[in-house]
Amino acid sequence: MNTIHTDVAIIGAGSAGLSAYRAAKAAGATALLIEGGAHGTTCARVGCMPSKLLIAAADAAHHARHGDAFGVHVDGAVRIDGHAVMARVKRERDRFVGFVVEGVDALPAEDKLTGYARFIDDRWLMVGEHTKVHAKAVVIATGSSPVMPATYRALGDRAVINDDVFSWDDLPKRVAVVGAGVIGLELGQALARLGVRVTVLGARGRVGPLTDPAIRAYAERTFSEAFRFEPRANVQAAVREGDEVRLRYVSDTGEVLEDTFDYVLVAAGRKPNIGGLGLRDTSLELDADGMPVYDAQTLQAGTHPVFVAGDANGVLPLLHEAADEGRAAGANAARVARDEQAEPLERRAPLAIAFTDPGIAMVGARHADLAPGSFVTGEVSFEDQGRSRVMLRNRGLMHVYAERATGRFIGAEWIGPDAEHIAHLLAWALQMKLTVADMLRMPFYHPVVEEGLRTALRDAALELA
């Protein structure tokens, strides 16, 4: 049995874990990065990057089919080579993963340990069956995993998660997507554009992360034109029949429907990877789900020398948030290792994007969290917005929210063209605490899609006046 002593032990070498390691080292602490699985981060291996590769292929197919309106004609049918699509997805995915692995390989050998870690007590870890680690502070950065309800687990390999999609050698003919969140909508639309017959089954009317009723209704209508979309479906049965799955569900209208698919892609959310950590062998306070109770500002579990960062805490499962939390947790773990107090994390402006077409974005406060009467709403439709119409991408509706008392911009929800880029402008404006008047003094070039944002801001200014 080997024994290692370190200032900071980081469990998990994903986006949060790597950031925590670098921050702890930068703070002058000794640090040990522990990983039991494959290196490469969720983003590079099964998340952000492979999904965007699939979406890029889907966009190419969509544009090839829709040139007629511009007078650009493709003679004959557009042919999708599923093998070639998936070969590029996997080839480029492996390239991105390789960059991350190279970075880990470059770290000093004495700072890395392979094996699954579990707590013996607050400061002692057992890694595999071969090494004990004593740390003055521990960062839990174990990430998260897709949820697979028992109903679908019984389907065996006919029920897949997003991780499995990127291992396909070819595209299937029929896929049911269970879950209308960001992952379900992105992959559902991409597969539909690549010629797969797709049905997306949501629950409780969810359409991505949207909470504004008008924006959500617009998005529902838009996606219903792209694939079979049942945002309020109640799945009653899922039965495997050979290499097919037969689903029975009740639609929003109360109609009982049945259909057969090659796969069921389950996108029903994610859960933190904390089950194998042995947290009940520590003195940490745990909630009903076995999650350490921690301070969202410092990421510290009570007064214990344990920090929880990234997807493992289940709060904001986004790469940039995981990296920020990892840096804060690593720096705070180094402070606690020196018997100093942890410091609060300075969070950036909330920002969420779904890479659908049209895109979905949310910045700042959600509509659902705003107190009635405390804010005004500015609106713009992109259907007649100049540049959007020029490109025939004129589908979308945006709401911007401004604080009634101060005129300060506080949030926005929308679906529309170039949402991913406009979202960054609004996130910067929010973080700088700009008012609507301040934003309208900024330059807007012509003709650009951002002029639609200016229309919404002008509408908000009228409401404030």
Side-chain angles (χ1 to χ4, degrees), residues 81-237:
D81 183 340
H83 282 95
V85 168
M86 296 312 302
R88 179 176 187 266
V89 168
K90 290 189 282 189
R91 183 174 63 250
E92 290 297 310
R93 180 270 315 272
D94 291 346
R95 182 169 170 269
F96 288 120
V97 170
F99 294 147
V100 180
V101 172
E102 286 174 8
V104 174
D105 288 345
L107 300 178
E110 62 271 19
D111 288 358
K112 296 178 290 187
L113 184 61
T114 299
Y116 290 98
R118 65 183 188 277
F119 282 88
I120 300 172
D121 61 25
D122 292 4
R123 287 185 170 86
W124 279 94
L125 302 171
M126 174 65 76
V127 180
E129 300 300 328
H130 52 77
T131 306
K132 284 185 177 181
V133 176
H134 178 264
K136 296 177 182 178
V138 178
V139 176
I140 298 172
T142 46
S144 64
S145 300
V147 173
M148 178 68 78
T151 299
Y152 303 109
R153 279 202 303 272
L155 303 174
D157 62 3
R158 296 293 101 180
V160 298
I161 55 177
N162 60 289
D163 304 34
D164 302 316
V165 169
F166 308 121
S167 297
W168 285 343
D169 293 324
D170 196 2
L171 294 167
K173 292 181 171 60
R174 304 159 299 175
V175 172
V177 180
V178 177
V182 171
I183 293 173
L185 289 180
E186 286 185 355
L187 295 183
Q189 185 180 51
L191 291 172
R193 288 185 165 185
L194 288 168
V196 180
R197 180 166 67 80
V198 171
T199 297
V200 176
L201 303 175
R204 300 179 298 281
R206 182 181 183 188
V207 185
L210 296 169
T211 72
D212 187 309
I215 308 300
R216 188 170 55 218
Y218 190 103
E220 180 180 332
R221 293 193 301 272
T222 300
F223 292 123
S224 293
E225 297 170 6
F227 44 78
R228 179 73 179 264
F229 188 23
E230 298 282 355
R232 297 166 192 82
N234 178 16
V235 178
Q236 294 186 326

Side-chain angles (χ1 to χ4, degrees), residues 209-342:
L210 296 169
T211 72
D212 187 309
I215 308 300
R216 188 170 55 218
Y218 190 103
E220 180 180 332
R221 293 193 301 272
T222 300
F223 292 123
S224 293
E225 297 170 6
F227 44 78
R228 179 73 179 264
F229 188 23
E230 298 282 355
R232 297 166 192 82
N234 178 16
V235 178
Q236 294 186 326
V239 179
R240 180 164 180 165
E241 298 175 348
D243 283 339
E244 298 179 334
V245 174
R246 189 148 191 85
L247 288 184
R248 184 173 72 248
Y249 60 93
V250 180
S251 72
D252 188 29
T253 61
E255 183 181 6
V256 178
L257 300 169
E258 289 195 9
D259 206 346
T260 302
F261 303 93
D262 300 312
Y263 290 98
V264 176
L265 169 56
V266 181
R270 300 179 70 87
K271 62 181 179 180
N273 294 330
I274 57 171
L277 291 177
L279 292 170
R280 299 196 183 280
D281 292 327
T282 69
S283 62
L284 275 63
E285 180 186 356
L286 306 179
D287 65 17
D289 297 320
M291 184 74 190
V293 177
Y294 70 99
D295 184 327
Q297 297 303 311
T298 63
L299 305 175
Q300 186 173 7
T303 58
H304 305 278
V306 177
F307 298 81
V308 191
D311 290 11
N313 64 35
V315 178
L316 294 167
L318 303 167
L319 182 142
H320 67 279
E321 296 286 355
D324 284 351
E325 289 189 355
R327 280 190 290 272
N332 275 336
R335 291 186 183 100
V336 168
R338 297 192 299 265
D339 293 323
E340 298 174 6
Q341 292 293 313

